[in-house]
Amino acid sequence: MPRLHVIGGSRLSGSVRISGAKNAAVAIIPAALLTEATVRIENLPNIYDIHVLVKILQSLGVKTVWETPSTLLIDPSTLSSWQPPYELVKKLRASYYFLGSLVGRYGQAVVPVPGGCDLGPRPIDQHIKGLAALGANVNMEHGLIKVSATKLTGANIYLDVVSVGATINIMLAATRASGRTVIENAAKEPEIVDVANFLNAMGAKIRGAGTDVIRITGVNELGPVSHTVIPDRIEAGTYMVAGAATGGDVLLHEVIPKHLDPLTAKLREMDIQVEVADDSIRVIGNPCPLAADIKTFPYPGFPTDMQALAMVLLTQADGSSMITENVFENRFKHVDELKRMGAQIKLEGRTAFITGRTRLSGAPVKATDLRAGAAFIVAGLIAEGETVISDINHIYRGYENICEKMAALGAQIKEIE
Ligand code: UD1
């Protein structure tokens, strides 16, 4: 298994193009099954999760063609199965979107309980509650989620927790249901808006995506579509933090700055310079950033996916900082690895107390999940000496060409066997 070798001490500078959003793309690909017409998706990130989803489509009998390395054509008219295989489904969390799209279109879905990053317990009760409210029978047996419906009928659904996955899954199924569905306490992430725009361009009637009430009027038919995926705000945030932590000067282009407001505000609070233009952001690091407190929340709160990265940055801040993780119960697996690199972090329940500023030293670390893996790259960049990151398949699940992009900014990073 390859590992990443990072030598610390480089100051990142230059510009980087941000790829398409993973969390939008992994929903849009399954959503393509809601139509029988041809779907064209542009700006797909070239990442492991997307390749697994394309293999799942192929295993269901769906035709796929890569028009360019980032443009995929999907022809769902040849679909011949509604049971994605376990060996592929276990590789990513987002395979649960096949529940909503297959039951919405064919009234049947059998999907193994999905895998993905281990962030502590990740129940799917809200997905199931939503599908059941639309009239589907949902059974879990032998590790399979079996959903069937003779007819889906619109319903009012109030989510008990704000969930990105449940909001999208219900939206997918409701798009082809008869009548009107209202999702209340819906998640508001930009990726949800992108999925709704994709569906609406096919002829769906979805209003209110991006607010906490989404109204969907079911339609009988959906047509062809060509859609461009929005930029990845978490990839963008990763390069912003890498630029800031190394005291560098990094320009990100092809971003939607509004989606990065929670991070931009926090960096400015830390006295790090962030210049925002129409579709670019420049971050100029401060050698001695101020300490800050961070609380993760659903969008537009500070993203949990940036939590591990923000923690690395806070090890370089002057004084005591605090991070409270409110979205996932146990998303602190990176803390022990960072402590092995010299970080001073104390955990109490859902809160991490970070004392800065500490000189990190390179060490062998294991990418415990996707974003933690990216955080270890940034930690390696500011540490003294060499950091070797193992289990990097997690990182490749979500970051396109991360070694090449980091190296182009001046990072000393390479893959080793
Ligand atoms: C998505 C993102 C992930 C991000 C997370 C939160 C994708 C593919 N992944 O994950 O990168 O970290 O949003 O922004 O888009 N919950 C329940 N019951 C449910 C569903 C969720 O209790 O049925 C809880 C979860 O355990 C968690 C919280 O709700 O505590 C938020 O989870 P959710 O928004 O669903 O995350 P994902 O969609 O899995």
Side-chain angles (χ1 to χ4, degrees):
M1 191 65 200
R3 289 169 295 161
L4 285 183
H5 181 263
V6 184
I7 301 178
S10 313
R11 181 181 165 271
L12 297 196
S13 78
S15 71
V16 59
R17 180 195 169 268
I18 299 307
S19 305
K22 165 184 156 309
N23 286 353
V26 296
I28 287 171
I29 290 175
L33 301 186
L34 283 164
T35 178
E36 281 206 314
T38 302
V39 169
R40 187 165 175 276
I41 313 171
E42 286 180 36
N43 201 31
L44 284 172
N46 188 358
I47 53 172
Y48 186 75
D49 272 10
I50 296 302
H51 296 296
V52 174
L53 283 172
V54 172
K55 280 191 195 149
I56 293 182
L57 290 183
Q58 291 164 348
S59 76
L60 299 176
V62 172
K63 279 191 226 139
T64 58
V65 176
W66 284 103
E67 207 176 75
T68 73
S70 60
T71 304
L72 179 69
L73 297 180
I74 302 175
D75 172 6
S77 63
T78 50
L79 184 133
S80 54
S81 160
W82 41 78
Q83 181 158 359
Y86 170 71
E87 311 78 64
L88 296 173
V89 166
K90 72 174 181 192
K91 296 186 176 184
L92 81 163
R93 184 95 194 136
S95 7
Y96 52 40
Y97 292 132
F98 285 103
L99 290 170
S101 67
L102 286 170
V103 80
R105 176 70 186 84
Y106 300 94
Q108 298 269 7
V110 181
V111 179
V113 176
C117 286
D118 178 8
L119 312 178
R122 295 180 82 176
I124 55 165
D125 56 303
Q126 299 303 303
H127 302 235
I128 291 170
K129 164 176 147 169
L131 296 175
L134 296 174
N137 288 313
V138 187
N139 292 305
M140 303 240 309
E141 51 188 31
H142 309 298
L144 297 173
I145 310 162
K146 296 184 174 177
V147 188
S148 62
T150 39
K151 186 181 175 205
L152 292 178
T153 309
N156 277 9
I157 299 157
Y158 196 103
L159 295 178
D160 300 332
V161 286
V162 178
S163 158
V164 174
T167 302
I168 294 181
N169 233 342
I170 297 167
M171 204 163 77
L172 297 183
T175 290
R176 297 291 302 252
S178 113
R180 199 164 118 109
T181 297
V182 181
I183 310 173
E184 290 189 71
N185 200 24
K188 297 184 278 200
E189 270 66 2
E191 293 75 23
I192 295 170
V193 179
D194 202 33
V195 178
N197 287 342
F198 166 78
L199 293 169
N200 283 341
M202 289 201 285
K205 291 188 177 155
I206 302 171
R207 301 288 173 265
T211 76
D212 57 7
V213 183
I214 302 181
R215 295 184 172 80
I216 305 142
T217 305
V219 295
N220 289 328
E221 217 184 335
L222 292 173
V225 64
S226 182
H227 179 82
T228 304
V229 176
I230 56 167
D232 195 310
R233 65 194 164 98
I234 306 299
E235 189 201 20
T238 302
Y239 290 100
M240 287 170 75
V241 167
T246 59
D249 182 349
V250 172
L251 178 73
L252 291 78
H253 54 95
E254 295 188 39
V255 291
I256 300 178
K258 180 81 197 142
H259 295 169
L260 286 142
D261 277 356
L263 176 62
T264 299
K266 198 48 73 177
L267 293 181
R268 286 179 174 157
E269 202 180 303
M270 294 176 72
D271 207 17
I272 291 162
Q273 197 179 330
V274 185
E275 292 172 7
V276 172
D278 285 351
D279 57 2
S280 66
I281 295 184
R282 181 176 173 198
V283 176
I284 303 166
N286 171 348
C288 200
L290 302 177
D293 292 342
I294 294 178
K295 296 183 171 68
T296 67
F297 277 109
Y299 190 84
F302 191 92
T304 172
D305 285 349
M306 288 300 304
Q307 185 249 106
L309 284 145
M311 192 176 288
V312 172
L313 181 57
L314 290 174
T315 66
Q316 303 307 299
D318 189 20
S320 304
S321 300
M322 198 168 90
I323 297 185
T324 306
E325 172 56 57
N326 289 308
V327 179
F328 288 105
E329 255 175 62
N330 184 18
R331 194 174 193 170
F332 280 130
K333 294 220 166 84
H334 44 278
V335 168
D336 282 343
E337 298 294 79
L338 290 177
K339 280 162 82 170
R340 292 178 54 245
M341 293 181 76
Q344 287 185 38
I345 306 169
K346 210 170 91 202
L347 264 186
E348 274 178 29
R350 285 183 168 223
T351 303
F353 297 89
I354 303 120
T355 306
R357 141 185 201 112
T358 38
R359 187 103 178 101
L360 299 185
S361 60
V365 286
K366 192 166 138 182
T368 44
D369 66 69
L370 163 59
R371 305 302 170 186
F376 297 150
I377 293 181
V378 178
L381 289 175
I382 55 178
E384 201 178 7
E386 297 177 5
T387 296
V388 176
I389 308 169
S390 56
D391 276 17
I392 56 170
N393 50 325
H394 282 298
I395 302 175
Y396 292 162
R397 282 191 39 225
Y399 286 94
E400 176 173 302
N401 295 337
I402 190 159
C403 281
E404 291 80 353
K405 286 184 179 187
M406 286 284 183
L409 293 171
Q412 292 194 60
I413 178 170
K414 65 175 186 225
E415 197 183 286
I416 53 167
E417 278 307 323

